[in-house]
């Protein structure tokens, strides 16, 4: 009960702008991190939900490296989600997966950012939830129109490929999304910078996968050869 009250007190500090958020996030991360003396935290459901809700809202869509303190806090928040995914996986990851269906694009983007991070950092996520994430991404790559969201989806696909979550042909077809968006024109109202940024992200992602993920090199090569001769691309 003491831990629950202390965690609630820490979360309440985020409402005080005079306090450095990064310091608060560090404290929360330290408490959440398992240790030999405290391998499993005992937090009640309301506190777990509060942690997930408050930390979720602090995730940055585009970290501003001209403000390093906000960037440091952003990555500390992601580290907190690492611990939450390990300690309270069902409550944490299921709500993040659900947020991928949210009406607000901003919330969907934050969910993809966190879930992509967990793909690279959490074996619990890869083992138990990656398939659900892939199923959601298949819907999102067909539906999402925002260029910034498309860029996040590319990063999510690369992370899943890197962790060997995408290997079969039915899932590997998601890589087609990256190839097609190497030359995506975008809507007429889109800024040239955003379009160019998406192109660069897609191209660098393909190069990264070709050079560093040997297990899918043959599949990727065949897909690229198909793209050269197919009107679909």
């Amino acid at each position: 009960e003491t831990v629950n009250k202390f965690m609630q007190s820490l979360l309440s500090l985020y409402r005080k702008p005079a306090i450095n958020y990064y310091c608060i996030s560090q404290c929360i991360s330290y408490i959440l991190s398992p240790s030999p003396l405290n391998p499993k935290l005992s937090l009640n459901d309301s506190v777990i939900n509060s942690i997930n809700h408050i930390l979720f809202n602090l995730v940055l869509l585009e970290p501003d490296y001209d403000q390093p303190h906000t960037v440091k806090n952003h990555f500390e928040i992601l580290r907190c989600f690492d611990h939450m995914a390990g300690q309270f996986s069902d409550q944490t990851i299921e709500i993040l997966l659900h947020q991928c269906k949210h009406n607000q694009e901003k919330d969907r983007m934050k969910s993809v950012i966190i879930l992509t991070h967990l793909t690279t950092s959490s074996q619990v996520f890869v083992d138990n939830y990656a398939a659900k994430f892939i199923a959601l991404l298949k819907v999102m790559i067909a539906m999402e129109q925002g260029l910034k969201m498309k860029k996040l989806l590319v990063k999510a696909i690369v992370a899943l490929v890197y962790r060997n979550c995408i290997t079969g042909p039915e899932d590997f077809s998601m890589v087609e999304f990256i190839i097609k968006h190497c030359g995506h024109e975008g809507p007429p109202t889109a800024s040239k910078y955003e379009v160019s940024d998406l192109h660069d992200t897609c191209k660098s992602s393909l190069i990264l996968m070709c050079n560093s993920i040997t297990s899918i090199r043959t599949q990727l090569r065949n897909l690229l050869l198909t793209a050269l001769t197919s009107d679909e691309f």
Side-chain angles (χ1 to χ4, degrees), residues 175-215:
V175 179
E176 292 179 8
F177 175 81
I178 301 177
I179 298 174
K180 290 176 180 178
H181 282 79
C182 285
H184 182 66
E185 294 182 0
T189 55
S191 73
K192 290 183 179 180
Y193 169 77
E194 285 189 5
V195 174
S196 175
D197 192 35
L198 177 60
H199 292 171
D200 290 344
T201 299
C202 291
K203 292 171 188 175
S204 61
S205 296
L206 289 171
I207 293 169
L208 173 68
M209 288 191 290
C210 283
N211 289 337
S212 62
I213 312 175
T214 56
S215 60

